[in-house]
Amino acid sequence: MKVLILGSGGREHALAWAVRRSERVTEVVCAPGNGGIAQIARCVPVDLKDVGAMVRLAEAEQPGLTIVGPELPLSLGIVDALQERGLRVFGPTRAAAMLESSKGFAKRFLQRHNIPTANYAVCTTAAELEKAVEIFHPPIVVKADGLAAGKGVIICQSRRTAIEAAQGLFSGKLLGEAEQQVIIEEFLVGDEISFLCLSDGKHVAPLAPAQDHKCIGEGDTGPNTGGMGVYSTDAMLDAGMKEWILRHIAEPTVRGMAEEDTPFAGVLYVGLMMTARGPLVLEFNARFGDPETQAILLRMESDLVEALEASIDGRLAETELRWAHGASACVVASSAGYPGSYKTGFPISGLDAAAQVPGVQVFHSGSAQVGSNLVTAGGRVLGVTAAASTLEEALARAYQAMAEIHFEGMYYRRDIGHRALKRKR
Ligand code: AMP
């Protein structure tokens, strides 16, 4: 079977790597892909904002399965468009992807279905907002309604700064585009867990849990990024808590979406804060996370393609996913200046030596092939990912491989997994 993967990051590299391991797969095409993906798949250019172009590509390639990586094409309705043409595609429809593409929709949905989440108000005017802010106590979390590539959440230390932040979102000054709705939320304290499941519209099958590091600086300091590292361990969630999250959060979400005639099939990514009041939903994503997917897929023993097909065909209830015991970790190497402005085009060396470290896979987030050289082409460049029987060993392997790699301005955090390691000591 030919598999088409839409996207160009580390997530898509990990998906291509996992898909290729399936015995049923004969060819992997990735659009647009990147320099690293090009070593294991055929990459073809496409604009991920252009549904028509993606449909033309899929019609020309006739894949047996299309996997949509990023949120933007999902929010534009790529799944609906491919389904209308009789093509098999993994991912939610545009209406179901609203769980991610509108935070206002997601919050109201959570409330309608009594699914635990932070207290909030959805505001459509500045006057509404000023009134709502009065009943929250700082710190106050202000969120853009729409997709904002990780830049739409502002934690404000006073009511005044919360109002200013919200005005910045309404006017378009903060994100470049004016928001119609702004969400105000109570500030939650606790450990964050990424709980990802496959859903077939009725049933869910949980993936290995993960915890990511969003801040650029060590000790979780400095501005937020797309993710500087992530790890996954068995110990992260005990069986009782996993069961609770399934029964009270993941399953009611999928049931609620089906009841509202927008069944959700695809990856339901539940971002949770483990608070003193129990797990509360921070956000939903409607797709695999990046870099969570790199760490999760390295632990997956089941055939990914079979699991995704079970999700498309409504067979997840009969599908048990198998995971390697132990742990995995992904450390991201970024360009100097990221998440601000950065330069690209620097040659990357040491990848062969890094790949020799046992248990290691290097997934590319932003690289390009120029002649016979791989060069940097993004803010996040590589995700050095390793699996092992313990988190300590997985991290040691990832950092050993990272030490082999070099490009000008290369930066990475040396403390990925520090929260879990501290808890163990
Ligand atoms: P979101 O896109 O809603 O997940 O927000 C991005 C990040 O902002 C989360 O991963 C949290 O670290 C932080 N965040 C979002 N909402 C809250 C909240 N209510 N309390 C504390 N931190 C939050």
Side-chain angles (χ1 to χ4, degrees):
M1 175 171 57
K2 186 197 275 190
V3 177
L4 170 65
I5 299 172
L6 296 174
S8 64
R11 164 184 48 214
E12 287 75 20
H13 194 173
L15 286 167
W17 170 80
V19 158
R20 255 171 52 109
R21 295 197 308 169
S22 172
E23 279 176 8
R24 296 176 41 215
V25 173
T26 50
E27 190 184 1
V28 184
V29 181
C30 189
N34 65 36
I37 299 174
Q39 297 177 346
I40 60 166
R42 178 159 58 85
C43 290
V44 288
V46 82
D47 179 356
L48 295 169
K49 296 189 288 296
D50 186 343
V51 172
M54 288 181 281
V55 167
R56 284 193 293 282
L57 172 69
E59 285 194 309
E61 292 284 349
Q62 288 294 318
L65 170 67
T66 298
I67 307 170
V68 187
E71 57 275 27
L72 185 64
L74 293 171
S75 73
L76 297 174
I78 184 63
V79 169
D80 314 53
L82 294 179
Q83 281 175 348
E84 275 164 26
R85 287 159 182 86
L87 290 160
R88 278 167 76 71
V89 51
F90 175 79
T93 59
R94 195 181 68 82
M98 290 253 307
L99 278 182
E100 173 167 9
S101 61
S102 168
K103 285 194 194 290
F105 171 83
K107 294 297 289 191
R108 289 181 171 127
F109 171 88
L110 287 162
Q111 190 171 41
R112 274 199 299 284
H113 294 278
N114 294 316
I115 301 169
T117 188
N119 288 322
Y120 72 99
V122 181
C123 306
T124 50
T125 64
E128 245 175 56
L129 187 119
E130 281 180 34
K131 222 166 133 199
V133 160
E134 286 302 315
I135 56 166
F136 286 83
H137 295 278
I140 297 172
V141 184
V142 176
K143 297 187 178 185
D145 180 58
L147 295 180
K151 299 192 188 90
V153 176
I154 309 137
I155 295 168
C156 303
Q157 298 305 327
S158 69
R159 291 194 178 91
R160 186 181 50 77
T161 50
I163 291 171
E164 282 168 11
Q167 282 166 342
L169 291 174
F170 278 134
S171 69
K173 273 202 192 112
L174 268 183
L175 294 179
E177 256 181 70
E179 290 288 321
Q180 305 298 316
Q181 301 192 108
V182 170
I183 292 91
I184 309 232
E185 218 174 72
E186 67 174 320
F187 180 75
L188 300 176
V189 179
D191 264 342
E192 280 187 64
I193 297 261
S194 301
F195 189 86
L196 284 75
C197 319
L198 299 183
S199 167
D200 61 10
K202 280 194 183 135
H203 312 101
V204 297
L207 306 182
Q211 198 169 41
D212 75 344
H213 294 265
K214 285 235 161 57
C215 298
I216 187 77
E218 286 169 14
D220 298 315
T221 54
N224 262 353
T225 68
M228 293 304 292
V230 66
Y231 59 98
S232 169
T233 70
D234 290 335
M236 210 168 247
L237 273 185
D238 64 39
M241 184 55 92
K242 188 169 146 189
E243 192 62 19
W244 194 93
I245 295 168
L246 275 171
R247 296 282 165 264
H248 299 281
I249 294 177
E251 289 170 0
T253 299
V254 167
R255 209 163 41 236
M257 290 299 280
E259 280 166 19
E260 297 188 6
D261 287 330
T262 48
F264 186 99
V267 174
L268 179 69
Y269 172 138
V270 189
L272 293 168
M273 188 75 93
M274 309 301 281
T275 74
R277 326 203 293 262
L280 301 182
V281 175
L282 276 180
E283 64 161 343
F284 288 119
N285 292 323
R287 36 128 189 130
F288 284 107
D290 189 343
E292 291 86 341
T293 304
Q294 288 86 309
I296 290 172
L297 291 183
L298 216 60
R299 297 188 61 198
M300 191 175 195
E301 285 179 343
S302 313
D303 183 318
L304 176 66
V305 172
E306 271 178 19
L308 302 188
E309 294 223 285
S311 156
I312 295 174
D313 295 333
R315 289 186 283 106
L316 272 185
E318 304 118 60
T319 307
E320 177 113 29
L321 303 179
R322 282 172 290 106
W323 302 95
H325 289 297
S328 60
C330 170
V331 183
V332 171
S334 60
S335 299
Y338 175 78
S341 60
Y342 53 83
K343 290 194 183 129
T344 58
F346 299 115
I348 306 170
S349 62
L351 290 169
D352 289 341
Q356 297 298 314
V357 179
V360 166
Q361 291 293 330
V362 179
F363 296 120
H364 295 221
S365 314
S367 74
Q369 182 97 36
V370 176
S372 59
N373 279 341
L374 274 170
V375 300
T376 64
R380 290 188 295 169
V381 178
L382 303 168
V384 179
T385 312
S389 56
T390 64
L391 179 59
E392 284 88 342
E393 184 59 24
L395 287 164
R397 289 174 171 186
Y399 282 115
Q400 187 191 338
M402 188 67 100
E404 301 286 349
I405 299 173
H406 179 76
F407 57 84
E408 195 173 318
M410 172 170 149
Y411 165 80
Y412 60 92
R413 278 180 61 167
R414 285 155 209 269
D415 67 343
I416 299 306
H418 71 91
R419 289 182 296 241
L421 298 180
K422 216 181 295 162
R423 252 196 309 273
K424 272 181 147 180
R425 280 188 196 121

